[in-house]
Amino acid sequence: MSLLSRRKLLTGGLATAAGASGLVAAARIARRYGLIPPDHGGIYAPGETLTYAAQRILTRHSMAREFPRSLISKAPFANGRPIQQENYLRSQAGGFQDWRLQVDGMVARPLSFSLADLRRLSSRSQITHIACEEGWSFIAEWTGVPLSVLLDAAGTRPDAKYVAYYSLEKNASDSIDMADALHPQTLVTYGMNGGDLPVGHGGPLRLRVPRQLGYKSLKYLTRLTVTDDLNKLGRELSDPSPEYAWYAGI
Ligand SMILES: Nc1nc2c(c(=O)[nH]1)N[C@H]1C(S)=C(S)[C@@H](COP(=O)(O)O)O[C@H]1N2
Ligand SMILES: [Mo]
């Protein structure tokens, strides 16, 4: 079956099922095609599944909107208090020379990048909107290395399904599926609005996932782990907070 007709069948099937016999049937179709998000909560909470499955089918190739320079926000809002962790402040005092981004898990070659290493790789800049689930948002230019470039360098195994990512900040981690990890707009960023990424916005390194809500764009990025099963990575990643949907597509 062609990709297009398969896609038509899937979306048609999901819509029909949702209309005819409720969300539970839609979830059943989603499961058959491997479109269950890791926080699905079983067939009794099929809403998350329907959102994820429908989005993944319809927007697999879609791009987050990019804006002209004239629309960059004059006063971007840095969420939360400045990070005060002792190991962070020490690294900052040394100009982040010792900052490393580790890439491991289901890869042929685990790698470790300094900021200088990352700056030598091919970069991309994009002007996108970042939206917090609490209602505020801003537009900024972000510069960095496409996550796909790092995953290719490490040699991601073909059976990988997720990329988990960790912050230097305690208990801060998250994950995305391969569709978002390999998406051209998903960047490991070290620059914002033409300068270094400010501390308040996650400097020296932050993952930007512009097709999802702000909370998926983790600040103070230190590690990427490729996996086929989030349950292998401990509670923090296998059991995400119920307040924040794992899939936050916009
Ligand atoms: N490490 C870390 N990353 C984080 C957060 C955080 O508290 N710690 N907050 C998230 C949330 S809820 C949002 S909306 C955005 C805010 O990005 P900003 O501070 O650049 O505005 O960062 C996300 N990344
Ligand atoms: Mo947020």
Side-chain angles (χ1 to χ4, degrees):
M1 203 186 307
S2 78
L3 267 182
L4 192 67
S5 57
R6 182 166 176 269
R7 187 199 265 212
K8 263 192 194 146
L9 178 88
L10 278 169
T11 44
L14 277 171
T16 310
S21 38
L23 294 170
V24 170
R28 207 169 291 139
I29 292 176
R31 179 171 305 116
R32 196 157 82 222
Y33 289 94
L35 291 166
I36 302 286
D39 62 346
H40 60 87
I43 58 165
Y44 302 106
E48 298 287 0
T49 294
L50 186 65
T51 304
Y52 177 66
Q55 285 270 345
R56 273 289 166 264
I57 293 161
L58 294 168
T59 68
R60 187 157 279 166
H61 305 289
S62 77
M63 302 288 277
R65 186 169 169 203
E66 296 192 25
F67 297 88
R69 201 151 259 127
S70 59
L71 289 181
I72 290 176
S73 305
K74 298 288 176 286
F77 182 76
N79 193 23
R81 293 160 194 275
I83 180 170
Q84 292 299 337
Q85 240 171 257
E86 197 262 333
N87 54 350
Y88 181 85
L89 297 176
R90 202 176 337 114
S91 181
Q92 185 184 19
F96 299 120
Q97 298 257 13
D98 63 348
W99 198 276
R100 292 293 180 277
L101 176 66
Q102 192 183 320
V103 184
D104 57 28
M106 291 175 66
V107 295
R109 298 167 292 280
L111 296 171
S112 170
F113 297 92
S114 67
L115 296 175
D117 293 335
L118 292 172
R119 286 177 188 277
R120 275 192 291 272
L121 297 172
S122 58
S123 74
R124 176 180 168 128
S125 288
Q126 65 207 14
I127 300 170
T128 53
H129 184 234
I130 178 164
C132 175
E133 76 293 348
E134 290 172 16
W136 50 269
S137 68
F138 63 88
I139 291 171
E141 181 177 44
W142 309 87
T143 302
V145 186
L147 177 57
S148 66
V149 169
L150 302 182
L151 295 175
D152 283 351
T156 301
R157 293 209 339 229
D159 45 344
K161 288 175 86 171
Y162 305 100
V163 175
Y165 44 102
Y166 299 81
S167 169
L168 188 77
E169 204 173 351
K170 279 197 198 79
N171 306 319
S173 62
D174 210 330
S175 61
I176 48 178
D177 66 9
M178 277 305 182
D180 263 327
L182 298 176
H183 190 273
Q185 291 175 308
T186 300
L187 305 184
V188 170
T189 58
Y190 46 73
M192 183 176 156
N193 294 339
D196 287 346
L197 183 64
V199 163
H201 292 288
L205 215 55
R206 172 187 210 168
L207 189 69
R208 266 295 283 140
V209 186
R211 298 197 310 169
Q212 297 202 40
L213 284 173
Y215 63 79
K216 300 295 280 193
S217 289
L218 195 72
K219 306 181 196 185
Y220 321 117
L221 183 71
T222 54
R223 183 177 169 207
L224 306 165
T225 298
V226 180
T227 187
D228 61 350
D229 182 1
L230 296 172
N231 292 313
K232 293 176 180 169
L233 300 183
R235 266 204 74 191
E236 199 180 301
L237 283 151
S238 61
D239 191 15
S241 154
E243 289 155 60
Y244 296 91
W246 174 80
Y247 181 68
I250 46 179

